[in-house]
């Protein structure tokens, strides 16, 4: 049976909600207790579901500091009675009028009960032993009564937040995959309406609100996943057809190159001096040694300009750079092999395809690689990218390094030969036969 007053002081009206909160507070179990700060953290998590804001929580935090125990329990008493001035001080100077407004919000949210005195003041009456006999102020009983509900709400909020975080992570991965797959398709000149697919992709992203709901994020993820699957299917069809053609080409080359007297691409003849001129054969870009000529024919490794102009098979790509044999490049840069079709690089086309993959992996922008290909020539740009991959642990910014080499190549200050020779030496292959 309830013996105290159930109505608020002054002109504040009584509501059925207040009465319901009082009934709930009287149903607290005698042995029920909860850590007040653990419960407050749960309140902070569930504030949106409980309809309270940050400043109301600040006022409640200050009220809890006036509760002498860490455990909220009936045996410790559940009424706190600070004045508005004290609450203002503990809320770091919050105006008293603002404090009263947020106290009312906490009462309306069913987190506090008013236990008003006859004159509306907050105070305590003690017995002869100094123990609290009766206190008037704010009762924390609703917090104790709703502790389990508040913790469940907090757990639901945290689970929802984790779900949204995972949705956003998966959306980010889908966005990255789609953008890079379309970029790869365009760079490889694969037939298809890639511009239309990119516009569809951008429409999906830009159609998302600034503060999307969970349902909107789930819908976007489903749409992006479907788009990524469509793009992957198109590219996989292309890869399978290319692989079939590549196997046929390889079989044909294997038959043509079965002559034991032919020179292997992996054992080329080459010049070791800077500015050396590679002489690829007509089919595979391997070096065919010039008969009757060697180091002795040109003292100090110098070649005469008139001899260079007479030889139409000398590779001299953009920027004045000389192309070196594919076999030599692969000996100097073996790591690039892993990025070729099926882990094999059989020709310059395979090397250039591998260089595009390495370019993306190392974070080199398409524009930087395209500029290098225009200045150096596509084969030399692929060779430089293979060298950068080989020296990856010593290069902080692959894109900046490539742009620097491109600038030097434009000025005629860069040669690939010394870079390849240094890598050959580092790989323990510096003693190759010359001529």
């Amino acid at each position: 049976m309830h013996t105290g007053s159930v109505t608020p002081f002054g002109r504040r009206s009584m509501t059925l909600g207040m009465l319901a909160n009082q009934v709930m507070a009287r149903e607290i179990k005698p042995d029920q207790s909860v850590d007040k700060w653990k419960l407050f953290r749960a309140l902070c998590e569930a504030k949106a579901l409980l309809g309270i804001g940050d400043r109301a929580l600040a006022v409640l935090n200050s009220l809890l500091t006036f509760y002498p125990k860490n455990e909220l329990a009936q045996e410790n008493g559940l009424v706190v009675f600070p004045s508005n001035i004290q609450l203002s001080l503990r809320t770091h100077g919050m105006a008293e009028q603002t404090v009263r407004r947020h106290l009312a919000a906490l009462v309306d949210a069913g987190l506090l009960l008013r236990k008003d005195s006859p004159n509306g003041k907050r105070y305590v009456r003690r017995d002869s032993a100094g123990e609290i006999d009766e206190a008037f102020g704010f009762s924390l009983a609703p917090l104790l009564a709703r502790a389990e509900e508040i913790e469940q709400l907090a757990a639901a909020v945290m689970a929802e937040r984790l779900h949204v975080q995972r949705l956003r992570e998966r959306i980010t991965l889908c966005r990255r995959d789609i953008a890079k797959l379309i970029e790869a398709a365009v760079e490889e000149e694969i037939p298809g309406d890639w511009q239309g697919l990119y516009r569809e992709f951008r429409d999906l992203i830009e159609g998302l609100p600034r503060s999307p709901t969970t349902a909107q994020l789930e819908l976007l993820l489903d749409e992006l996943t479907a788009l990524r699957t469509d793009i992957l299917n198109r590219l996989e069809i292309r890869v399978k057809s290319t692989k079939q053609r590549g196997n046929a080409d390889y079989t044909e080359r294997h038959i043509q190159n079965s002559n034991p007297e032919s020179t292997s691409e992996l054992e080329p003849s080459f010049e070791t001096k800077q500015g050396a001129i590679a002489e690829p054969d007509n089919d595979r870009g391997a070096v065919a040694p010039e008969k009757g000529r060697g180091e002795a024919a040109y003292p100090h490794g110098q070649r005469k300009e008139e001899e260079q102009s007479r030889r139409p098979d000398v590779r001299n790509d953009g920027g004045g750079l000389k192309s070196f044999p594919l076999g030599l490049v692969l000996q100097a840069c073996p790591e690039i092999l892993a990025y070729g079709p099926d882990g094999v690089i059989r020709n310059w086309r395979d090397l250039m395809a591998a260089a595009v993959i390495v370019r993306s992996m190392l974070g080199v922008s398409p524009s930087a690689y395209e500029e290098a290909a225009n200045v150096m020539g596509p084969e030399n740009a692929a060779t430089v990218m293979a060298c950068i991959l080989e020296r990856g642990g010593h290069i902080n910014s692959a894109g900046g390094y490539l742009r620097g080499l491109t600038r030097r190549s434009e000025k005629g200050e860069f040669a690939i030969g010394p870079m390849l020779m240094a890598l050959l030496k580092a790989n323990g292959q510096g003693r190759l036969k010359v001529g």
Side-chain angles (χ1 to χ4, degrees):
M1 179 179 179
H2 183 72
T3 57
S5 173
V6 296
T7 58
F9 172 78
R11 290 179 290 181
R12 290 192 293 269
S13 59
M14 180 65 182
T15 65
L16 289 179
M18 292 182 184
L19 186 59
N21 288 336
Q22 292 177 13
V23 172
M24 179 181 57
R26 291 198 297 270
E27 295 176 352
I28 297 174
K29 298 176 182 178
D31 59 344
Q32 186 175 351
S33 65
V34 65
D35 185 287
K36 65 180 182 181
W37 297 122
K38 181 180 178 182
L39 182 60
F40 181 74
R41 287 192 292 272
L43 276 168
C44 293
E45 291 286 353
K47 63 182 180 180
L49 299 180
L50 294 169
I52 55 175
D54 296 339
R55 306 201 79 185
L57 284 172
V59 173
L60 180 59
N61 179 77
S62 65
L63 280 173
L64 291 174
T65 62
F66 287 99
Y67 190 77
K69 305 288 186 178
N70 278 334
E71 292 286 326
L72 287 178
Q74 270 193 324
E75 62 182 15
N76 297 330
L78 293 171
V79 178
V80 290
F81 38 88
S83 66
N84 287 341
I85 295 176
Q86 291 173 316
L87 286 174
S88 178
L89 290 174
R90 294 205 185 182
T91 52
H92 307 288
M94 186 182 295
E96 291 186 36
Q97 183 178 2
T98 305
V99 169
R100 286 194 293 270
R101 186 170 70 251
H102 290 301
L103 285 171
L106 291 169
V107 172
D108 293 340
L111 300 176
L112 291 179
L113 276 179
R114 293 182 186 273
K115 187 177 180 184
D116 289 336
S117 65
N119 62 2
K121 301 293 184 181
R122 300 171 205 154
Y123 59 87
V124 62
R125 185 179 293 116
R126 301 180 184 274
D127 58 20
S128 57
E131 299 294 331
I132 295 177
D133 181 40
E134 190 170 13
F136 298 98
F138 291 100
S139 172
L140 303 176
L143 285 177
L144 182 58
R146 300 181 64 183
E148 184 176 351
E149 174 197 352
I150 292 169
E151 290 173 352
Q152 289 176 352
L153 290 175
V157 169
M158 289 187 286
E160 177 71 7
R161 184 167 60 242
L162 181 60
H163 178 55
V164 170
Q165 179 183 349
R166 288 176 176 171
L167 282 175
R168 290 184 179 277
E169 289 174 351
R170 294 172 64 187
I171 287 172
T172 298
L173 292 175
C174 268
R175 290 180 61 176
R176 186 179 70 191
D177 288 348
I178 292 171
K180 291 195 173 184
L181 288 172
I182 292 177
E183 178 187 353
V186 173
E187 289 183 355
E188 296 290 333
E189 299 181 354
I190 297 175
D193 184 17
W194 302 113
Q195 291 296 331
L197 289 172
Y198 184 75
R199 284 194 298 271
E200 180 183 349
F201 168 57
R202 293 310 309 171
D203 289 342
L204 289 175
I205 299 303
E206 293 169 1
L208 190 69
R210 183 179 294 272
S211 300
T213 63
T214 303
Q216 289 171 328
L217 290 174
E218 290 173 344
L219 178 60
L220 176 63
L221 178 59
D222 291 341
E223 293 173 334
L224 289 176
T225 302
L227 181 59
R228 179 177 62 180
T229 302
D230 181 26
I231 295 172
L232 281 172
N233 288 338
R234 298 184 187 208
L235 294 179
E236 286 174 1
I237 292 173
R238 179 70 177 184
V239 168
K240 290 177 180 178
S241 63
T242 303
K243 183 177 180 181
Q244 291 172 354
R245 291 197 302 270
N247 288 339
D249 293 343
Y250 175 73
T251 302
E252 182 179 355
R253 286 196 303 271
H254 179 72
I255 295 173
Q256 292 174 351
N257 297 338
S258 60
N259 184 355
E261 296 181 359
S262 64
T263 304
S264 170
E265 282 188 349
L266 294 181
E267 296 180 356
S269 172
F270 60 92
E271 300 283 339
T272 60
K273 302 288 185 180
Q274 180 173 349
I277 301 174
E279 296 180 358
D281 65 20
N282 294 331
D283 293 330
R284 296 178 290 121
V287 168
E290 184 183 359
K291 295 181 179 180
R293 293 188 181 274
E295 287 289 329
Y298 297 99
H300 310 294
Q302 301 296 319
R303 292 194 178 272
K304 298 180 181 180
E305 296 296 332
E306 58 269 20
E307 289 296 328
Q308 294 181 13
S309 62
R310 291 196 199 107
R311 294 162 62 181
D313 58 344
V314 172
R315 301 187 66 89
N316 189 334
D317 291 332
L321 291 181
K322 309 301 185 295
S323 293
F324 286 80
L326 178 62
L328 172 62
V329 174
L330 297 181
Q331 285 178 338
C333 309
E335 290 191 18
I336 194 73
L337 289 167
Y339 300 92
D342 299 325
V344 178
I345 294 179
R346 305 179 182 92
N347 49 45
W348 282 104
R349 184 175 61 185
D350 288 350
L351 179 63
M352 288 186 280
V356 171
I357 297 174
V358 170
R359 188 275 306 163
S360 178
M361 182 189 71
L362 296 180
V364 177
S365 67
S367 61
Y369 186 70
E370 182 179 358
E371 183 181 7
N374 291 335
V375 173
M376 302 178 185
E379 295 177 357
N380 282 331
T383 300
V384 170
M385 189 56 61
C387 293
I388 292 175
L389 174 66
E390 199 72 23
R391 300 186 64 240
H394 305 282
I395 298 174
N396 294 328
S397 172
Y401 186 74
L402 180 62
R403 288 190 185 275
L405 295 183
T406 303
R407 299 284 83 80
R408 291 174 56 193
S409 181
E410 285 180 326
K411 300 175 183 178
E413 299 174 353
F414 171 63
I416 298 178
M419 181 183 292
L420 289 174
M421 296 307 126
L423 290 174
L424 281 171
K425 185 177 181 180
N427 292 335
Q429 301 182 38
R431 294 183 178 178
L432 294 177
K433 293 182 180 180
V434 179

